[in-house]
Amino acid sequence: MSRKKAARHKSIIDELTIHPSMRVNELASALNVTTETIRRDLEELAEQNLISRTYGGALLRQAVEPVLNERHKTNIAERVAIAKKAAPILKEAKVLMIGSGVTTVEVAKRIAYEMNNITVITHSFGVATVLSLNPTIKVIMAPGLYHAEEGSTHGSVTCQFLTNYTVDWTILGASGLAPTGPSDALVDAADVYKQMIRQSTHNMIVADHSKFDRLATARYAKWDEIDNLITDKKPSGPLKKALSKAEVQIIVATVQ
């Protein structure tokens, strides 16, 4: 690869880091090259699995997420605000499923504070721990292979176990929110989330704006399978259009 092309590829990644979803003509204008050149560059970057091509543009692929303990240190105010908006929506529910992640743990904290006499099925030890603060909440832990960095169980045993239950709501986080749907950096976690969605009457995604226009390794749902997205900013562009088309209710939490 020539130095000129390598520099251009780096510039494209830099642009997508600032604006995770961009169209071909926007990138061509930003880099002062033709749209044909940009299209060739995007195809090469997609082959390297650095980006994902979209109709007329590109999405930056989500890098491997930091481990759970590191993620707990970021976007704290946003997660708290999201949890405060999420809990009231669940007030009529009697049985829930909750996936792993830092935002879902925050929602679980709020559930422990606001709700009583419910049953929660989870594969996340963090979720189970905070729910145990409320003795009226019955927590059922899904068995499976333990993933130490995520503090949760995964695998076929976990997914099979979940088929024994039907719930009112499933609450899930995400590594990325793209027009094609929510996704997770861990394939095994995505498999669990798919099963949780199958077992639930209603499905909720809780994720802050840093996940917008990001595509992680494994998509676990289409937007028409999701009822609510609770986030801290309004989505825009293709993501907003996809959510609107799928009739996903977007609830924006104000950060204090």
Side-chain angles (χ1 to χ4, degrees), residues 50-51 62 102 121 163 187 190 228:
L50 295 172
I51 66 165
Q62 176 72 22
V102 292
I121 301 124
T163 63
V187 173
N228 297 76

Side-chain angles (χ1 to χ4, degrees), residues 49-208:
N49 212 30
L50 295 172
I51 66 165
S52 291
R53 291 287 271 119
T54 63
Y55 182 76
L59 275 174
L60 182 66
R61 273 199 169 271
Q62 176 72 22
V64 175
E65 281 201 307
V67 296
L68 196 69
N69 287 341
E70 289 300 313
R71 301 206 304 274
H72 271 295
K73 301 173 185 177
T74 62
N75 297 330
I76 296 171
E78 288 84 353
R79 293 199 305 275
V80 170
I82 289 167
K84 286 181 179 179
K85 283 287 188 180
I89 297 169
L90 307 168
K91 63 183 179 181
E92 301 298 326
K94 296 299 181 184
V95 187
L96 307 173
M97 283 185 183
I98 305 180
S100 62
V102 292
T103 308
T104 51
V105 167
E106 201 64 49
V107 173
K109 287 181 186 177
R110 201 72 195 177
I111 289 170
Y113 178 73
E114 294 191 17
M115 299 178 72
N116 293 301
N117 302 310
I118 62 170
T119 298
V120 178
I121 301 124
T122 186
H123 67 134
S124 164
F125 284 83
V127 167
T129 299
V130 298
L131 289 173
S132 69
L133 299 172
N134 184 335
T136 76
I137 297 177
K138 182 187 293 183
V139 180
I140 300 173
M141 278 297 305
L145 288 171
Y146 180 60
H147 191 291
E149 291 181 347
E150 285 298 303
S152 55
T153 55
H154 300 139
S156 59
V157 172
T158 309
C159 293
Q160 182 59 42
F161 177 82
L162 295 172
T163 63
N164 296 316
Y165 299 91
T166 300
V167 303
D168 301 307
W169 278 93
T170 283
I171 303 102
L172 301 171
S175 302
L177 302 175
T180 51
S183 55
D184 198 86
L186 289 175
V187 173
D188 289 343
D191 289 341
V192 173
Y193 299 165
K194 286 178 184 177
Q195 192 62 55
M196 286 183 166
I197 286 171
R198 293 188 191 107
Q199 306 307 126
S200 186
T201 304
H202 302 289
N203 297 297
M204 174 189 294
I205 304 295
V206 289
D208 67 73

Side-chain angles (χ1 to χ4, degrees), residues 200-236:
S200 186
T201 304
H202 302 289
N203 297 297
M204 174 189 294
I205 304 295
V206 289
D208 67 73
H209 71 278
S210 68
K211 311 301 173 63
F212 290 179
D213 299 308
R214 300 274 175 167
L215 186 65
T217 306
R219 188 184 71 176
Y220 60 79
K222 297 179 181 178
W223 284 121
D224 60 11
E225 298 175 277
I226 305 302
D227 296 280
N228 297 76
L229 169 64
I230 320 294
T231 187
D232 62 308
K233 288 187 179 179
K234 290 182 179 180
S236 60

